[in-house]
Amino acid sequence: MAATHMTGALTLSDHVFGGLVPRYRAALLVVAGALFVAVAAQVSLTPPQWYANVFSSIGLPIEGTPVPITLQTLAVGLTGAALGSRLGTMSLLLYLFAGIAGLPVYAGSVGDILSGEVAFGATDGSLWGGATSFWSMPSFGYIIGFVIAATLIGRLAERGWDRSFLYTALAMLAGSVVIYAFGLPWLHMSFDNMTISLTLDWGLWPFVPGDILKLLVAAGALPGAWVLLRREPKLKESEDQL
């Protein structure tokens, strides 16, 4: 019975935007998902000193990491779950190639342009500018991981995993593992004489507490959205009876 319930499920976007013409709906959702991740990428967080001190006290110095701390992973997880595996993958691919094409979608790009540090189109990841190209970005492996994570989380959402707190948390955890599986090796190969220990200090440990918090946010938000969708027909039925 449980296996039947967990397969063939529709995603949130299927329910919310199901009335739109399919081809227009797909284009709209793919672009909206990419924009959502791009906006989240601009929300850069600098850990306070006490946060760095806590890690230093247990032998894990995290200051100086070249990987930005943003809300991207939360946006990736929500996008994959809401859009499903196919549209979620397309949305994150659009995000990836938009940055390579020079659009200011990667972490901190908008701020760099507004501050005058770089010109439009020359932000990190761009093929055309003087800034760091995508293959030299220490964090580009994480962006590749975003695409695969969105595919995985979307597939799990299609099986109904985004309808309970526990399964949503597990889906987000699986997505995070995928992101690090791509991000950490790329970071390691981006620097000469890079050690595994330093790779983890820069690319994993600083993000674990934030990832746990974002996982909990997604695990509450997605099932909560499904609860609201289930209540909506009942609410309309009650209004019709009145």
Side-chain angles (χ1 to χ4, degrees):
M1 179 71 76
T4 302
H5 173 72
M6 297 295 285
T7 58
L10 296 175
T11 63
L12 280 168
S13 63
D14 292 325
H15 284 271
V16 176
F17 299 99
L20 295 178
V21 177
R23 62 177 178 273
Y24 297 141
R25 179 181 67 198
L28 172 66
L29 292 176
V30 167
V31 173
L35 286 174
F36 180 42
V37 176
V39 170
Q42 309 314 311
V43 184
S44 182
L45 308 173
T46 302
Q49 188 58 46
W50 65 264
Y51 185 85
N53 291 341
V54 169
F55 276 88
S56 296
S57 68
I58 58 176
L60 298 174
I62 65 171
E63 295 176 321
T65 172
V67 181
I69 299 176
T70 69
L71 296 180
Q72 280 176 291
T73 52
L74 175 61
V76 169
L78 293 177
T79 298
L83 302 190
S85 58
R86 185 175 67 89
L87 295 183
T89 302
M90 293 172 62
S91 188
L92 269 297
L93 281 173
L94 176 60
Y95 171 78
L96 184 152
F97 286 113
I100 292 176
L103 295 179
V105 296
Y106 293 159
S109 295
V110 172
D112 290 342
I113 292 172
L114 293 178
S115 67
E117 292 184 22
V118 297
F120 186 92
T123 52
D124 280 354
S126 171
L127 281 174
W128 320 115
T132 306
S133 57
F134 73 89
W135 59 81
S136 299
M137 284 178 63
S139 60
F140 194 76
Y142 295 88
I143 299 176
I144 296 174
F146 291 165
V147 180
I148 312 304
T151 305
L152 174 61
I153 294 172
R155 181 59 56 87
L156 293 174
E158 290 164 356
R159 298 177 62 85
W161 280 48
D162 62 337
R163 304 191 186 198
S164 74
F165 182 92
L166 176 60
Y167 277 104
T168 302
L170 290 174
M172 295 299 157
L173 177 60
S176 294
V177 171
V178 168
I179 291 171
Y180 287 116
F182 284 86
L184 290 173
W186 190 288
L187 174 64
H188 184 81
M189 293 184 293
S190 296
F191 297 92
D192 294 331
N193 302 319
M194 188 71 158
T195 64
I196 293 178
S197 176
L198 186 56
T199 300
L200 297 177
D201 288 346
W202 281 1
L204 177 62
W205 307 130
F207 308 99
V208 171
D211 284 348
I212 293 173
L213 178 59
K214 286 179 278 190
L215 179 151
L216 294 175
V217 169
L222 291 169
W226 279 110
V227 170
L228 293 176
L229 284 175
R230 293 190 194 103
R231 288 178 178 175
E232 187 177 356
K234 296 179 181 179
L235 179 60
K236 289 182 179 178
E237 182 179 344
S238 299
E239 291 175 347
D240 293 338
Q241 291 175 352
L242 292 175

